[in-house]
Amino acid sequence: MLIWFLPTFLIFLMIGLPVFFALLAAPGILLWLNGQTADITLLYRNVYNGMDSFPLMAIPFFMLAGELMNRGGITIRLVEFSQALMGHLRGGLAHVNVLSSILFAGLSGSAVADTSALGSMLIPAMEKQGYTRRFAAAITAASSVIGPIIPPSGIMIIYAYVMGESVAALFLAGIVPGVMVGVGLMLMIKVMADKYDFPVASRKYTWGERRQASLKAFFPLLTPVIILGGILGGIFTPTEAAAVAVGYAFIIGFFVLRSLTLKEVPEILSNAGLTSAVVLLLVGAAMAFKTVVSLSHAPEQLAALILGLSENPLILLFLINLLLFVVGMFLDAGPAIIILGPILGPIFTSLGVDPIHFAIIMSVNLTVGLATPPMGLVLFVAAAVSREKVETIAKAILPFLAVEIIVIFLITYVPALSMTIPRITGFAN
């Protein structure tokens, strides 16, 4: 009977039950029907156990650091810096949108934070420049998926926690794929700008003005250097790095830029706490869900099914990419990683795929799913920010999704793209 927990879970999602409750209700009901009442207690106890982890403390700290930087006007400085570099190009504000997402990724590591923070500024600005609102919302949603790929990354922290991998190795492996997504989106914008005669956002900045914009953005851009440098240098753990990021953001906002006030602190803490609570509750529920998965022996059956399709790892990687892409349409990246990582990771490791390489394939694919119709989370955030219908944004985002799918297959079949930096630095074999 426990084999039915996955279909039951999907039915609950389709009728609109929140993911957290669906993750607990589906296995809970089936355990009760199966007479395994002792395992129901284990299921709900594991919700707390799944959250009670020192490595996961990095997530609320990174959320708080991102909130401090966003409220401190740092987002505006990044946009101004991006505009100084690329605003004069045809389709300049669309390019600025993507470059700002790349820079913002090094601060927040969250696609939702990227969409809400940058979208609230750039979508109205792009519409004023002559872009359609649906296009502005679509490029904002498409570029926001860079956030969880370029370090620091919340979903990579979750993957490392679940699978016992090195957070530093995953962070380093995400740099090139994240930049590839950004460059790919800019190339698509260039093609569309020439075809549809996109507007030029502004005049070309002088080198003096660019230097001034660079100085304003200097301290924000130093954040990922401090985080990664500290982790790679062995100065602090990823969780400690997240705490350092909070302290740095506080100092920059209150004492350097003087853009934050003590009156704003309660609201900043509240917003960061609510966002962190959502993520950690999902992690806890997914870890409990994972317990029932192991009780049902579904991983062994799924592994046998997958290996029965083919013994060629290249073909299996293609099929798994399709599976992950579909899963990403309906399920948030964090819970999907916790549920599927322990099932799929060992299968591909046994076939000779490097565990760090597979982690990046899975993370990037599920992250792109955040912007994929019909249930992509950032599509709904972009719709809320832009006041545009989800359906119209979903149509406008298709060319950008095509670019991101190409990047997924490139990093799948060319492991050096993601593995070179971890290998050079000694964090991967």
Side-chain angles (χ1 to χ4, degrees):
M1 180 180 286
L2 287 180
I3 298 300
W4 288 96
F5 70 86
L6 278 175
T8 308
F9 169 63
L10 292 174
I11 289 169
F12 281 142
L13 285 184
M14 290 170 65
I15 63 175
L17 194 68
V19 175
F20 172 75
F21 295 107
L23 282 168
L24 296 177
I29 291 171
L30 291 173
L31 285 170
W32 178 70
L33 292 174
N34 211 32
Q36 295 174 255
T37 52
D39 290 328
I40 296 178
T41 305
L42 176 66
L43 173 71
Y44 295 109
R45 187 187 303 138
N46 279 342
V47 174
Y48 173 77
N49 292 339
M51 293 185 284
D52 185 22
S53 164
F54 180 73
L56 287 182
M57 281 298 295
I59 293 175
F61 277 123
F62 277 129
M63 294 288 185
L64 179 55
E67 189 70 25
L68 282 167
M69 291 182 178
N70 188 31
R71 291 295 294 271
I74 287 174
T75 307
I76 297 173
R77 290 169 180 260
L78 293 180
V79 172
E80 289 175 349
F81 174 66
S82 301
Q83 187 151 340
L85 295 180
M86 308 192 74
H88 62 283
L89 301 175
R90 184 158 300 283
L93 266 187
H95 288 294
V96 167
N97 198 318
V98 176
L99 182 57
S100 297
S101 290
I102 293 173
L103 299 176
F104 194 76
L107 307 182
S108 72
S110 167
V112 172
D114 185 307
T115 306
S116 57
L118 296 177
S120 59
M121 284 189 296
L122 287 172
I123 291 174
M126 290 179 71
E127 191 176 7
K128 189 176 179 181
Q129 285 286 332
Y131 297 87
T132 62
R133 190 186 303 176
R134 62 179 178 271
F135 176 84
I139 188 58
T140 301
S143 63
S144 70
V145 304
I146 300 170
I149 302 174
I150 292 178
S153 167
I155 63 167
M156 289 184 189
I157 292 171
I158 293 172
Y159 191 100
Y161 164 63
V162 173
M163 300 298 290
E165 299 295 343
S166 163
V167 173
L170 291 181
F171 278 8
L172 290 170
I175 294 173
V176 172
V179 173
M180 285 176 65
V181 171
V183 171
L185 292 176
M186 287 181 180
L187 290 174
M188 177 57 72
I189 290 168
K190 175 71 169 62
V191 171
M192 296 177 75
D194 292 339
K195 183 176 180 180
Y196 299 110
D197 196 28
F198 284 176
V200 176
S202 66
R203 60 179 175 78
K204 190 171 183 177
Y205 281 60
T206 65
W207 285 108
E209 289 171 325
R210 288 177 178 174
R211 185 172 61 254
Q212 191 67 26
S214 302
L215 289 173
K216 287 183 179 180
F218 175 76
F219 287 109
L221 294 176
L222 204 58
T223 309
V225 177
I226 293 171
I227 293 170
L228 273 181
I231 295 172
L232 300 181
I235 301 170
F236 35 67
T237 67
T239 304
E240 291 164 348
V244 169
V246 170
Y248 180 75
F250 184 87
I251 291 169
I252 294 301
F254 278 93
F255 301 109
V256 178
L257 303 181
R258 297 182 179 179
S259 51
L260 288 173
T261 63
L262 288 175
K263 289 182 181 179
E264 296 175 282
V265 171
E267 187 178 352
I268 290 170
L269 292 172
S270 175
N271 291 342
L274 287 171
T275 308
S276 302
V278 170
V279 174
L280 291 174
L281 280 172
L282 285 173
V283 170
M287 290 297 284
F289 190 83
K290 176 186 163 188
T291 304
V292 179
V293 171
S294 61
L295 288 172
S296 69
H297 301 291
E300 294 88 340
Q301 295 180 30
L302 184 58
L305 175 64
I306 291 171
L307 294 174
L309 296 174
S310 174
E311 294 184 359
N312 187 329
L314 299 180
I315 294 174
L316 290 178
L317 282 170
F318 177 80
L319 295 175
I320 288 303
N321 269 321
L322 294 181
L323 171 65
L324 293 174
F325 190 71
V326 173
V327 168
M329 292 180 183
F330 299 96
L331 193 59
D332 195 28
I337 281 172
I338 295 172
I339 295 166
L340 295 177
I343 299 173
L344 301 176
I347 297 173
F348 284 90
T349 302
S350 68
L351 293 172
V353 178
D354 189 285
I356 299 298
H357 180 215
F358 183 75
I360 294 302
I361 294 171
M362 192 170 189
S363 298
V364 174
N365 202 318
L366 292 171
T367 299
V368 170
L370 293 171
T372 305
M375 298 291 291
L377 180 60
V378 298
L379 286 180
F380 290 94
V381 177
V385 172
S386 65
R387 298 178 183 175
E388 185 67 61
K389 291 182 179 179
V390 174
E391 308 90 82
T392 58
I393 299 174
K395 290 178 183 177
I397 204 174
L398 293 178
F400 303 115
L401 282 179
V403 169
E404 291 168 348
I405 291 169
I406 290 170
V407 172
I408 289 170
F409 282 108
L410 281 173
I411 63 173
T412 297
Y413 293 113
V414 187
L417 292 173
S418 54
M419 295 302 297
T420 298
I421 296 179
R423 283 171 179 160
I424 289 172
T425 52
F427 283 90
N429 299 323

